[in-house]
Amino acid sequence: METKGNWLQGDVFDRECPSRLVLSRLGDKWTILIVIALSSGVHRFSELRDRIGEVTPKVLTQSLRALERDGIVERTVYAVVPPKVEYQLTDLGRSLLEPIAAVKAWAESNYGAVLDARARQLT
């Protein structure tokens, strides 16, 4: 890692660089789907689970906690019965929307070519 002013210049190829932790968070199976789901605003846990589909409550909870710890998601708990918990993107999380939108658009435009390539490998 090189120093750049008061900040360190990241290098994901340096195994000691913390930017690898950030990259691994973004590479998590559920992170991109959670960020996309939260791009429309505040959501409750059940709304996220229903929107994302296929994710277990335990795994969604773990993913949301990790995103909260990393400053990407904000969790708000309301002192009511039953408890009400809402999730939303932080400013840092919203800064991911543009690059994630590009990856989402690429995936939606190119899934056919990827599936074709996979099928060719099977034959």
Side-chain angles (χ1 to χ4, degrees), residues 38 67-68 71-76 86-90:
L38 289 173
L67 290 167
E68 182 182 11
I72 295 168
V73 168
E74 180 181 348
R75 178 177 182 259
T76 305
E86 293 180 334
Y87 298 90
Q88 65 183 340
L89 295 174
T90 62

Side-chain angles (χ1 to χ4, degrees), residues 11-18 20-21:
D11 177 2
V12 295
F13 292 107
D14 177 351
R15 64 183 145 210
E16 301 296 321
C17 184
R20 278 193 167 205
L21 297 172

Side-chain angles (χ1 to χ4, degrees), residues 48-91:
L48 289 172
R49 186 190 63 227
D50 293 346
R51 176 75 174 120
I52 294 167
E54 167 183 345
V55 63
T56 66
K58 178 183 176 184
V59 171
L60 181 56
T61 297
Q62 291 170 340
S63 297
L64 286 166
R65 284 182 182 159
L67 290 167
E68 182 182 11
R69 181 191 65 232
D70 292 343
I72 295 168
V73 168
E74 180 181 348
R75 178 177 182 259
T76 305
V77 179
Y78 297 92
V80 295
V81 177
K84 178 180 176 184
V85 180
E86 293 180 334
Y87 298 90
Q88 65 183 340
L89 295 174
T90 62
D91 289 341

